C-alpha cells in the first residue's frame, strides 16, 4: 500500500450522487474505520467520456492535492472508469461494490451481492445483501 502516514490508511470514496450507491460505499468506509485508523476523502465524479480521456492521457484531476490513496472505493457504474483512471495516475487498490459493467479482473476486489448470482472469475467476495452505513448495536 502507498500509505502516506504509516498509521493511517487513505481511502478515496468516489461518489456518483446516487443515494443508494453513496450508502453502500459509506458503509464500507465506516466499517473499515471501526477496524483500523483511516482517513477518507469523498470525491464526486460524473460523466462517461471524461474518465476515458483521463485513462488515455494518464491524468485524473479530481485527485490533485489529496494524499495518495491506499484504497479507491466506488459503487455505481459511473464510478468504474474514474476508479481505474485514479488508480492508473495515483496508485492504490480498487474496491468496486457491485457487479461491475467492466470485467471484474480490472478491479482489485469486487464485493458482489449474492442475489446477483455472479459466476465469473476474479477477486470477488460475495455479500449478503448490500452494504450500508448502519452500525448494529453491539457491533465493534
Amino acid at each position: 500500500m502507498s500509505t502516506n502516514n504509516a498509521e493511517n490508511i487513505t481511502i478515496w470514496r468516489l461518489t456518483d450522487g446516487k443515494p443508494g450507491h453513496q450508502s453502500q460505499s459509506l458503509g464500507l468506509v465506516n466499517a473499515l474505520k471501526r477496524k483500523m485508523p483511516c482517513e477518507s476523502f469523498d470525491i464526486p465524479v460524473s460523466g462517461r467520456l471524461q474518465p476515458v480521456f483521463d485513462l488515455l492521457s494518464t491524468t485524473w484531476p479530481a485527485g490533485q492535492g489529496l494524499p495518495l490513496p491506499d484504497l479507491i472505493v466506488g459503487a455505481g457504474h459511473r464510478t468504474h472508469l474514474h476508479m481505474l483512471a485514479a488508480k492508473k495516475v495515483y496508485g492504490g487498490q480498487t474496491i468496486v461494490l457491485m457487479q461491475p459493467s467492466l470485467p471484474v479482473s480490472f478491479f482489485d476486489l469486487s464485493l458482489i451481492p449474492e442475489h446477483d448470482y455472479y459466476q465469473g472469475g476474479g477477486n470477488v467476495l460475495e455479500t449478503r445483501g448490500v452494504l450500508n452505513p448502519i452500525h448494529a448495536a453491539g457491533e465493534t
Side-chain angles (χ1 to χ4, degrees):
M1 292 191 175
S2 61
T3 307
N4 297 317
N5 177 338
E7 297 181 18
N8 282 335
I9 301 296
T10 300
I11 304 169
W12 287 4
R13 184 172 77 104
L14 278 53
T15 62
D16 64 2
K18 294 186 177 183
H21 296 157
Q22 294 199 175
S23 178
Q24 290 176 54
S25 60
L26 183 60
L28 176 62
V29 169
N30 287 348
L32 289 169
K33 285 181 174 182
R34 289 192 300 272
K35 298 294 183 187
M36 64 185 73
C38 298
E39 179 179 34
S40 65
F41 298 88
D42 291 352
I43 304 172
V45 298
S46 62
R48 294 179 186 216
L49 290 178
Q50 187 59 48
V52 173
F53 295 124
D54 292 343
L55 272 167
L56 295 173
S57 66
T58 315
T59 62
W60 197 69
Q64 289 179 341
L66 295 176
L68 294 176
D70 294 299
L71 300 174
I72 302 166
V73 175
H77 296 291
R78 291 200 177 173
T79 66
H80 297 171
L81 288 173
H82 286 282
M83 293 172 69
L84 298 176
K87 178 181 179 162
K88 184 174 183 180
V89 175
Y90 297 103
Q93 302 291 302
T94 53
I95 303 175
V96 63
L97 303 179
M98 61 185 300
Q99 185 168 327
S101 52
L102 300 169
V104 169
S105 62
F106 285 14
F107 301 92
D108 296 297
L109 178 63
S110 298
L111 302 178
I112 300 176
E114 64 185 354
H115 64 254
D116 284 350
Y117 301 108
Y118 179 74
Q119 299 297 312
N123 197 8
V124 173
L125 289 177
E126 190 175 72
T127 64
R128 291 188 194 135
V130 295
L131 299 176
N132 63 61
I134 296 171
H135 184 128
E139 189 179 272
T140 58

